[in-house]
Amino acid sequence: MKTFKEPTHFFNLNPRATTNGEHLIFFNLNYGYRENGANPNKFKYVPMRISTSYKISKINWDEKTYRANSAYVRSKGKELNDTLDTIQRTSYDQLTIYRNSHDHDPEPKELKRLVEERLGRIDKVSTDVLLVPFIEDYIGKRINIKADTKKQYNNLVRHLKQYEEIKNTKLVLGKLTVDWYWDFFDVVNTKYFEDNEVYLTQTTIAKDCKNLRAVFNEAIENDIPIGFNHQKKGMKIQEKKKSYELFLTPNELQKIIETDVSHLKSFTHAKNYIILSSFTGLRLGDMKHLYEITPTIESRNGQDCYCFYTEIRKNQEVKEDLYVSIPILKPVKDLLNANGDKFPKIPADQVIRRYIKSLLKFLEFHEVVKITNYYYNQSKDGTIEYKEQHEVFSPHDCRATFITNLKQLGLHNETIEPITHPKHNAKEILNKYDKSDLVDNAIKFVDALDSMNETRKKKGLEVSIYTC
């Protein structure tokens, strides 16, 4: 790529004053553009010069800062100076975009046209679509975008802006290349390492990749070219989440249940979450809706089942909404009794994550956990680190707690899976009066627990904490 002259600028007042003694303000950008005169061996540098459309008296003009002085601002406000800032920034941006797109300098009149287009003074002729503003507009138009998804897109925008700043460029749809695509991930990964002494995780880069490809799909839907085939095989970066084995044992759950944490609201929220999720197997996304649900007693063939119906909003095996009936085990029943037979509300995702870690630290859950982290373009085997249980534990580990403890007690997959991995389509279930299949699954689950506990009694063992 060509090496360009570093641009410089200044504002100046038109020497000729108006009848009221004010001077029109001009902006001048010197960027190395040369024009030849009559003699081919001689040339002159020509700046881009544009009127700001503002006038000011010399007494109110600061020649050092190229701005209206403090007396003017106190008297008339900072609108003039804000406008000058906008013109200066826009001029630099348009010069950078043109250079990156064409690999040569624009003529001053061409650059002036681009600046005036961007300022809204004249109708836009250019068809360039900048990538970052396109993404920001795309995010803004998505009405039902989830908070986590929006956060991912904002991270992508932040990384793209970092790349533009590092490379001194503006990314334009239709002019992107495969080389740029892979360079983008490498550059932001290196930048993160420089700032944090650790690389971005494979999962973080994979999310950037997924969302960037979604943006490209949206551009194509709007007949905006990308510049390369982003759908080609091998262009997708796969996630590789950190790996560790972690769940709460029955003894740890018992300690949580028996500990009075009513003195601190955050601990109460964390305790409620752990009990509910560890005895229902629900994910965080579904736990947040529990407070909307009323438990019910269902009867089948003379057998009662205290349970609740809930929609399962995320399932990796089936890409559709599902529905399940979950039996209410004793720890959950006790929690409901203490809460007026209602499910408590769950705080926001990041908040409940923090609360859970704080509670487990308070309870001195210090067991060391081995964690394998996978960083982008680093060792395929991952990097090992060790942390204490309370530092690592997440809301999703409660789901692992539910499944692992039940399997260790002897329940078979075919008994657990209808509760944790339902196959019933939510819409179909809601359109039916007969939900017997769901209740049957719940009753089978309860029967299996009862049978398992009876076996434990006969062997002289304690009844499981997982009981009705």
Side-chain angles (χ1 to χ4, degrees):
M1 180 176 283
K2 180 180 176 180
T3 301
F4 293 100
K5 178 180 173 61
E6 190 71 21
T8 60
H9 74 277
F10 66 93
F11 289 86
N12 74 291
L13 305 183
N14 191 340
R16 180 176 296 178
T18 60
T19 55
N20 63 356
E22 292 183 328
H23 299 260
L24 185 62
I25 306 172
F26 284 90
F27 174 75
N28 304 267
L29 184 67
N30 295 305
Y31 55 98
Y33 185 82
R34 303 189 307 185
E35 281 187 356
N36 293 327
N39 186 338
N41 295 322
K42 292 184 178 181
F43 59 85
K44 63 177 179 178
Y45 287 102
V46 182
M48 186 276 291
R49 180 175 169 84
I50 186 171
S51 168
T52 66
S53 299
Y54 274 81
K55 301 181 183 71
I56 194 170
S57 62
K58 286 187 177 181
I59 195 173
N60 289 321
W61 182 249
D62 188 334
E63 286 287 352
K64 293 182 180 179
T65 63
Y66 299 134
R67 295 294 185 273
N69 61 26
S70 56
Y72 180 95
V73 172
R74 283 196 301 269
S75 173
K76 298 187 178 181
K78 62 185 185 71
E79 180 184 354
L80 168 57
N81 285 347
D82 287 345
T83 301
L84 301 185
D85 289 341
T86 299
I87 292 172
Q88 177 182 320
R89 183 175 61 254
T90 302
S91 298
Y92 274 83
D93 286 348
Q94 294 305 308
L95 174 62
T96 300
I97 293 168
Y98 189 98
R99 282 176 166 179
N100 291 332
S101 300
H102 300 87
D103 204 29
H104 64 81
D105 278 328
E107 294 182 10
K109 63 179 181 181
E110 172 68 4
L111 181 57
K112 180 180 178 180
R113 180 184 65 79
L114 294 172
V115 172
E116 289 187 326
E117 284 179 354
R118 191 64 179 170
L119 293 173
R121 294 181 177 180
I122 61 175
D123 292 335
K124 186 175 181 180
V125 175
S126 173
T127 59
D128 284 350
V129 179
L130 298 179
L131 177 57
V132 169
F134 180 83
I135 297 175
E136 291 172 332
D137 184 60
Y138 173 62
I139 298 171
K141 287 179 179 177
R142 292 185 61 175
I143 299 173
N144 297 320
I145 187 170
K146 295 180 179 178
D148 285 348
T149 305
K150 187 173 183 179
K151 182 179 178 181
Q152 289 178 23
Y153 275 108
N154 288 336
N155 284 338
L156 172 61
V157 167
R158 179 168 53 83
H159 288 155
L160 288 168
K161 287 181 176 178
Q162 277 184 346
Y163 182 89
E164 289 183 331
E165 182 178 351
I166 291 168
K167 295 288 187 174
N168 190 26
T169 187
K170 290 290 180 181
L171 301 172
V172 180
L173 285 168
K175 299 173 183 178
L176 304 177
T177 66
V178 173
D179 289 341
W180 163 81
Y181 181 77
W182 294 115
D183 186 55
F184 163 64
F185 299 118
D186 288 338
V187 167
V188 297
N189 193 36
T190 301
K191 171 64 176 172
Y192 191 83
F193 181 81
E194 291 172 353
D195 293 342
N196 301 278
E197 296 185 355
V198 64
Y199 289 101
L200 287 166
T201 65
Q202 177 82 9
T203 295
T204 298
I205 292 290
K207 287 178 180 177
D208 269 358
C209 174
K210 178 189 71 173
N211 292 320
L212 185 59
R213 285 158 57 90
V215 168
F216 289 162
N217 290 338
E218 177 70 11
I220 289 173
E221 285 291 321
N222 287 276
D223 297 321
I224 301 172
I226 307 303
F228 69 99
N229 183 8
H230 71 284
Q231 296 175 330
K232 188 177 179 181
K233 186 177 180 181
M235 301 300 287
K236 183 178 180 180
I237 298 173
Q238 299 292 343
E239 284 193 34
K240 200 168 186 181
K241 296 181 179 180
K242 66 181 178 182
S243 171
Y244 62 87
E245 294 183 5
L246 184 57
F247 68 98
L248 297 171
T249 66
N251 287 338
E252 290 170 332
L253 284 173
Q254 193 68 54
K255 182 176 181 179
I256 292 170
I257 292 170
E258 293 175 353
T259 301
D260 182 6
V261 295
S262 57
H263 63 285
L264 202 56
K265 202 168 187 179
S266 61
F267 285 179
T268 301
H269 281 305
K271 179 178 178 178
N272 289 344
Y273 185 96
I274 292 173
I275 292 173
L276 289 172
S277 183
S278 297
F279 290 91
T280 63
L282 288 176
R283 299 176 177 88
L284 177 55
D286 299 317
M287 289 283 292
K288 292 186 294 185
H289 296 273
L290 273 183
Y291 77 95
E292 303 167 355
I293 297 171
T294 302
T296 182
I297 297 177
E298 297 285 352
S299 297
R300 293 293 183 274
N301 301 320
Q303 184 173 352
D304 291 339
C305 179
Y306 189 31
C307 60
F308 64 93
Y309 297 99
T310 182
E311 183 181 342
I312 302 299
R313 295 161 183 83
K314 179 182 177 182
N315 187 291
Q316 293 183 353
E317 291 81 14
V318 182
K319 303 298 182 182
E320 60 185 354
D321 292 338
L322 304 172
Y323 221 70
V324 66
S325 176
I326 299 179
I328 295 175
L329 304 185
K330 186 177 183 304
V332 176
K333 185 178 180 182
D334 292 342
L335 191 156
L336 288 172
N337 289 339
N339 199 56
D341 293 325
K342 294 181 180 180
F343 287 107
K345 281 191 175 184
I346 302 299
D349 294 8
Q350 293 304 317
V351 175
I352 194 63
R353 292 178 194 277
R354 187 172 67 252
Y355 287 174
I356 289 173
K357 286 177 169 38
S358 296
L359 174 62
L360 297 189
K361 184 178 182 180
F362 170 76
L363 295 173
E364 299 182 346
F365 283 26
H366 297 311
E367 181 181 347
V368 175
V369 179
K370 177 183 176 181
I371 307 167
T372 304
N373 293 301
Y374 299 95
Y375 298 101
Y376 182 66
N377 271 355
Q378 303 306 305
S379 170
K380 292 182 179 180
D381 297 327
T383 303
I384 305 298
E385 66 174 333
Y386 296 90
K387 289 188 176 182
E388 293 186 358
Q389 185 180 10
H390 69 84
E391 297 178 285
V392 181
F393 199 87
S394 72
H396 195 71
D397 293 322
C398 293
R399 179 172 166 83
T401 294
F402 179 74
I403 296 171
T404 303
N405 284 333
L406 290 174
K407 293 185 74 170
Q408 288 187 353
L409 287 170
L411 264 69
H412 299 297
N413 287 345
E414 54 266 28
T415 304
I416 302 172
E417 285 181 356
I419 306 299
T420 58
H421 298 77
K423 304 300 180 185
H424 295 277
N425 179 272
K427 187 175 181 180
E428 292 176 358
I429 292 296
L430 292 172
N431 288 340
K432 289 182 178 180
Y433 289 103
D434 182 12
K435 301 187 178 99
S436 59
D437 286 348
L438 299 185
V439 177
D440 287 342
N441 289 334
I443 289 177
K444 288 176 185 177
F445 182 86
V446 171
D447 287 345
L449 277 180
D450 288 344
S451 176
M452 177 267 297
N453 278 318
E454 284 299 320
T455 301
R456 291 177 68 85
K457 285 181 184 178
K458 290 178 182 178
K459 292 181 179 181
L461 301 174
E462 289 186 9
V463 173
S464 165
I465 193 173
Y466 288 85
T467 179
C468 295

